[in-house]
Amino acid sequence: MTERVKSLRERALGREHKRYRIRKNLSVLNKKTETLPVVKRKALGFTMMLDEMPRYIQEGELIVGARTLFAPRASSNEDLSRNLDFVPDAETLAVESPGFEFYPAYLTRAEKDRGAELGVAEGYVTSHCAPGFEKVLAKGFGGLKKEAENSLKNFEEGSREYDFLSSVMLIQDGIAGFINAYADLAEKEAASCSDRERIAELKGIAERCRRLSTEPASGFHDALQLVWFTHLFMLMENYNLMSLGRPDQYLLSYYEKDLEEGRLKRRDALELLSCFLIKLNDGSDLHTDNGLNVIISGLKPDGTDGTNDLSFLFIDAYEQVKLVDPQINIRWHRTTDPVFMKRAMQIRGQFPMPPMMFNDEVLVPGLKGLGVAEEDARDYCIDACQDILIPGKSDFYPIFAGTYGIHLLTIFERIMPTLDQYDSFEDFYASFMEELKADVARTVDEANRIDALLPDFSPTPVLSMTLEGCLEKGRDKTAGGTIYNYTGFIGGGLVNIADSFAAVEKHVFQEGRVDSADLLKALGANFEGYDELRALLLNHSPKWGNADSRSDHFGKEIAELFSEEVLKYRNARGGRFVPGLMTHHQVRLGAVIKATPDGRKQGEALAISLSPSIGQMKKGPTCALSSAMAIDHTRFPVGTSVDLTLQNSFIRNDDDLEKVVSMTETFFEGGGLEVQYNVLDPDVLRDAQAHPDNYKDLVVRVWGFNAYFVTLQKGYQDELIDRAETGAR
């Protein structure tokens, strides 16, 4: 690690960039603008933010630019450095919301009132997307403007298409001004600097920014800077939860060209890439979950292996930097370079932190089944969490679907009180399945209602201009402008449901050891006074994650019905609803979902995605993966997830590492879609909870994202400690 990287890393951990932030109310509305189309007002708001932002360049920075403008405080004691796990209901995993979700006012009072009636707010976020970085790198912002100008000729003035394209051109002018302002700042700092080496760097930054204000990237440093600017603009429009896609693929040609022509050595590229990764942490103190994902390796569109030297360089840089963002993930297929697979699993930090791993052999066929072209399916990436999408060509936005989908346990809560009305388990189970069908239909209707309103309330011209199809059609992505206009629809709570049905079937209907009325009383009392019954349900019932045929059967059958129902429907943008199986926010939801027949009390965390409940991985991680393989993962192209906790002692040496790699490959060869390992030490976590100042850079995985352990709410810290206590040894 170079001294530059050490210094920038320490500043990032110390949050020195906070001092450049300001808070201000902004509005584009006046008598002249309030009659403009909403998309033009949105573009004006974006350029206004660019103009108003304070600019700075930190000492030693090689990648420049920052988002420094935020909303006014909601309260006098609010600290902009507080973290927020941003979900539509503004759940705070950390202490309090910082009020950073900000866009200048652009809707009139009448429009806001109408939106409130319809359930759509000003600035409704449509993130969870991977912008077209490859397109921006190849064409530059000036090239995108020319593309919009050429497309504009095909549409009449005053048409929706004309308004969208002219808004894009306005945005491009604002972007050029913003980037040129950084060139001016670099030149100014160079003029007052006494360090000859830094003067040269600042002049290089100025020249680079001047070019990149309109031109495409011409080298590796250019490309990193342009990707950062693009990502920064996406955050300004969409707040957070924006993916970086497959940077080892779209940056590779710039890296190789510089190496071949002698402008760059690998060690210099490592320093540049490390600086880039550190810069990505500029906003990491604003969120617990930034959703800043990178995925590397995997198949190329032509079907060959995409693993390359830049894939390894990303691992090296990530291991050097050891900050919370970005999250490094990898793609696997049958011909993945085994050397790379082992290297990726060896990432070291406070704990070993193997990346999330995704299986091309499952995902490519699953995406093709949706109608995605094979070359595009091979190019998939993940979004801000674990959902699958096509970079630069898709809008798989999942939040429309009932705030991420439906939670199966909420359906179970509705039918459970009627248990004593059924003479057979089959009838009770069938009533759940009918409710599931009805909930999917209701959620689709609500999702389509909101989806159809977004072009009029919250278009996204900045993001849309980078996506294939939008400029050609003159259509925002919220209006179906891009190539693949799907809606992700997530099903949560599957494991607790499967275990609950297995327990009810066995103890109430098959063996008759538990009276249905008594079970309902126990659940209503949250098992207080029913310790013996709870012990029976917890310890003597079929449990997912142990290759148990009954629990696995229910998980498989419910998952298949969910997939079948979701795939029936089409969305308001002309695409399909696409199913996925994941359970997130396990602590928050566990606090509100009532006690369940699997023995879980209200207040206890839910099982994460397709992972066993805490303490129920009795037969080890291999059996846990076996249960997940009971499901046909190709039926869930938006994604599934298995999160397994291993104790730190589980990976002690290379032989142990080889076993984990082999276990992972066996899971993938058996049809698994995604797996991640959280390697934890309960003693370290307890000490970090007691002495947070000693563990400021302790990174853990909460579900599909990493976070600094000490920034999490105590409930999530406790849940991670519980997982670590019961993890595989």
Side-chain angles (χ1 to χ4, degrees):
M1 189 188 301
T2 65
E3 289 303 316
R4 184 198 310 274
V5 171
K6 288 180 184 177
S7 175
L8 291 173
R9 181 182 186 274
E10 287 305 310
R11 288 179 189 162
L13 283 170
R15 302 175 182 175
E16 287 190 19
H17 52 279
K18 284 194 325 179
R19 62 193 176 98
Y20 299 102
R21 294 171 177 165
I22 66 167
R23 295 176 180 268
K24 183 183 288 189
N25 267 326
L26 294 176
S27 173
V28 303
L29 295 173
N30 55 48
K31 290 183 179 180
K32 182 179 178 181
T33 59
E34 64 185 14
T35 59
L36 293 174
V38 168
V39 69
K40 283 194 175 181
R41 284 182 253 153
K42 195 87 186 279
L44 286 171
F46 180 77
T47 59
M48 178 179 283
M49 281 195 288
L50 291 176
D51 289 341
E52 293 280 343
M53 277 196 188
R55 299 171 182 88
Y56 70 91
I57 298 174
Q58 282 193 322
E59 183 181 343
E61 276 193 323
L62 297 177
I63 308 294
V64 301
R67 176 186 176 198
T68 54
L69 180 66
F70 297 87
R73 283 184 173 87
S75 62
S76 59
N77 64 352
E78 189 179 328
D79 181 353
L80 197 59
S81 69
R82 301 288 188 166
N83 294 329
L84 177 72
D85 171 41
F86 182 73
V87 291
D89 62 355
E91 171 198 353
T92 52
L93 291 188
V95 183
E96 61 180 311
S97 165
F100 62 85
E101 305 88 8
F102 174 66
Y103 205 89
Y106 63 89
L107 291 182
T108 65
R109 181 74 264 167
E111 289 167 338
K112 285 182 181 180
D113 291 344
R114 178 170 174 261
E117 292 175 4
L118 298 171
V120 182
E122 182 179 49
Y124 190 105
V125 181
T126 58
S127 52
H128 283 265
C129 197
F133 290 109
E134 191 168 3
K135 183 176 182 179
V136 177
L137 289 171
K139 295 188 175 185
F141 291 118
L144 295 183
K145 182 178 180 181
K146 288 179 182 177
E147 188 177 341
E149 286 176 332
N150 290 334
S151 187
L152 192 70
K153 299 170 186 175
N154 300 321
F155 303 102
E156 292 185 7
E157 186 171 357
S159 66
R160 190 180 278 262
E161 293 84 359
Y162 191 96
D163 292 337
F164 167 74
L165 292 166
S166 57
S167 298
V168 167
M169 292 164 60
L170 176 63
I171 286 165
Q172 299 295 350
D173 291 339
I175 284 173
F178 178 81
I179 298 176
N180 275 315
Y182 267 95
D184 294 340
L185 178 59
E187 287 174 349
K188 180 180 178 181
E189 293 199 2
S192 62
C193 183
S194 58
D195 184 306
R196 293 177 63 182
E197 186 175 343
R198 185 56 179 164
I199 290 171
E201 289 175 351
L202 288 166
K203 287 182 176 179
I205 289 169
E207 186 276 330
R208 180 169 297 106
C209 288
R210 200 74 71 195
R211 260 189 304 105
L212 294 179
S213 66
T214 56
E215 295 179 22
S218 61
F220 189 58
H221 196 161
D222 273 13
L224 290 173
Q225 180 64 72
L226 193 51
V227 169
W228 168 246
F229 275 136
T230 304
H231 179 65
L232 183 65
F233 300 147
M234 297 305 121
L235 294 181
M236 289 171 57
E237 183 184 56
N238 302 282
Y239 307 156
N240 73 331
L241 301 174
M242 297 298 293
S243 170
L244 287 174
R246 305 184 70 189
D248 66 328
Q249 305 302 307
Y250 59 70
L251 292 170
L252 181 62
S253 62
Y254 304 97
Y255 170 70
E256 290 182 333
K257 182 181 178 184
D258 277 3
L259 288 179
E260 289 168 6
E261 297 181 2
R263 287 191 297 272
L264 191 69
K265 294 182 179 179
R266 194 181 191 276
R267 66 174 179 269
D268 301 321
L270 178 59
E271 182 183 58
L272 274 173
L273 189 54
S274 296
C275 290
F276 174 72
L277 297 188
I278 292 168
K279 192 64 177 172
L280 290 170
N281 285 267
D282 264 13
S284 61
D285 58 306
L286 296 173
H287 306 252
T288 300
D289 177 9
N290 287 290
L292 187 47
N293 270 314
V294 164
I295 197 162
I296 55 180
S297 190
L299 293 170
K300 294 192 291 188
D302 64 6
T304 60
D305 181 29
T307 309
N308 57 62
D309 188 46
L310 198 49
S311 310
F312 284 90
L313 198 72
F314 262 95
I315 299 293
D316 294 343
Y318 179 76
E319 193 173 62
Q320 269 198 3
V321 171
K322 297 189 184 105
L323 296 175
V324 71
D325 287 319
Q327 294 152 207
I328 302 292
N329 312 283
I330 67 171
R331 288 176 39 175
W332 176 92
H333 54 89
R334 294 183 190 276
T335 58
T336 293
D337 181 351
V339 175
F340 174 75
M341 184 75 169
K342 184 174 180 180
R343 175 68 186 97
M345 295 289 285
Q346 285 176 320
I347 293 175
R348 299 294 174 185
Q350 180 78 42
F351 302 130
M353 183 61 75
M356 291 194 289
M357 289 166 282
F358 294 79
N359 186 0
D360 292 3
E361 306 289 346
V362 168
L363 279 162
V364 173
L367 290 165
K368 285 174 61 181
L370 289 177
V372 176
E374 185 167 28
E375 61 271 20
D376 291 337
R378 289 171 177 155
D379 200 35
Y380 77 86
C381 69
I382 61 171
D383 75 337
C385 200
Q386 297 152 283
D387 312 336
I388 308 303
L389 44 78
I390 312 302
K393 294 184 178 181
S394 68
D395 186 10
F396 277 31
Y397 186 63
I399 304 298
F400 295 144
T403 310
Y404 223 35
I406 59 175
H407 212 284
L408 302 170
L409 282 169
T410 62
I411 304 173
F412 191 78
E413 278 189 338
R414 292 203 301 271
I415 69 157
M416 190 61 204
T418 66
L419 175 66
D420 56 1
Q421 300 174 21
Y422 292 92
D423 295 326
S424 72
F425 174 79
E426 289 72 23
D427 288 345
F428 174 63
Y429 182 53
S431 68
F432 170 84
M433 300 297 248
E434 289 303 312
E435 281 290 306
L436 172 58
K437 294 177 185 178
D439 263 33
V440 170
R442 283 193 293 268
T443 303
V444 164
D445 286 345
E446 176 66 9
N448 279 339
R449 185 187 65 78
I450 294 174
D451 198 346
L453 296 171
L454 287 181
D456 294 324
F457 286 90
S458 191
T460 58
V462 183
L463 172 56
S464 298
M465 72 188 185
T466 74
L467 300 178
E468 293 293 338
C470 291
L471 294 182
E472 297 91 327
K473 299 174 188 174
R475 194 181 303 170
D476 192 88
K477 74 121 179 166
T478 60
T482 192
I483 308 300
Y484 302 110
N485 295 288
Y486 299 152
T487 299
F489 194 133
I490 308 301
L494 183 70
V495 169
N496 293 103
I497 284 284
D499 286 353
S500 292
F501 274 122
V504 170
E505 180 189 49
K506 177 180 179 178
H507 297 301
V508 176
F509 289 96
Q510 289 182 343
E511 298 180 358
R513 295 180 64 183
V514 178
D515 180 76
S516 59
D518 288 341
L519 177 58
L520 292 176
K521 289 177 184 177
L523 295 176
N526 202 25
F527 290 112
E528 296 299 323
Y530 292 87
D531 293 346
E532 186 175 338
L533 173 55
R534 183 171 183 245
L536 175 71
L537 297 172
L538 277 174
N539 302 318
H540 301 283
S541 300
K543 295 294 180 182
W544 178 274
N546 295 284
D548 184 281
S549 60
R550 291 315 291 163
S551 187
D552 290 359
H553 162 77
F554 289 119
K556 178 179 186 295
E557 199 165 77
I558 293 167
E560 287 180 353
L561 178 67
F562 172 73
S563 172
E564 180 182 312
E565 290 301 309
V566 170
L567 286 168
K568 287 180 180 178
Y569 297 100
R570 302 193 72 83
N571 65 25
R573 287 165 286 127
R576 298 176 67 177
F577 281 84
V578 186
L581 289 173
M582 299 172 205
T583 305
H584 303 146
H585 307 286
Q586 65 272 15
V587 173
R588 173 177 67 87
L589 293 173
V592 297
I593 290 177
K594 296 175 183 176
T596 42
D598 58 352
R600 184 198 64 84
K601 285 186 172 183
Q602 181 175 350
E604 294 181 346
L606 305 181
I608 304 172
S609 300
L610 299 184
S611 315
S613 294
I614 291 175
Q616 294 300 335
M617 190 168 61
K618 301 292 180 61
K619 298 181 180 179
T622 301
C623 281
L625 294 173
S626 177
S627 285
M629 284 190 282
I631 294 170
D632 180 359
H633 291 235
T634 62
R635 299 175 66 130
F636 299 92
V638 160
T640 64
S641 174
V642 182
D643 307 54
L644 297 184
T645 300
L646 312 176
Q647 289 200 359
N648 212 20
S649 59
F650 195 88
I651 307 179
R652 296 163 297 185
N653 51 47
D654 281 353
D655 287 343
D656 291 340
L657 185 66
E658 291 284 1
K659 291 175 184 176
V660 176
V661 171
S662 177
M663 179 172 67
T664 303
E665 291 180 339
T666 300
F667 174 60
F668 283 161
E669 288 166 358
L673 187 153
E674 183 269 351
V675 65
Q676 56 186 293
Y677 301 105
N678 214 2
V679 185
L680 302 172
D681 184 326
D683 293 333
V684 172
L685 295 181
R686 279 191 290 267
D687 194 53
Q689 196 175 49
H691 307 99
D693 288 344
N694 297 336
Y695 294 90
K696 290 180 180 178
D697 62 349
L698 175 56
V699 177
V700 294
R701 183 165 291 127
V702 184
W703 55 79
F705 73 96
N706 297 341
Y708 293 120
F709 179 78
V710 298
T711 69
L712 294 170
Q713 278 185 349
K714 187 175 183 297
Y716 281 88
Q717 291 181 345
D718 290 342
E719 190 254 358
L720 282 162
I721 292 170
D722 288 343
R723 278 200 261 166
E725 291 278 14
T726 59
R729 294 172 173 83

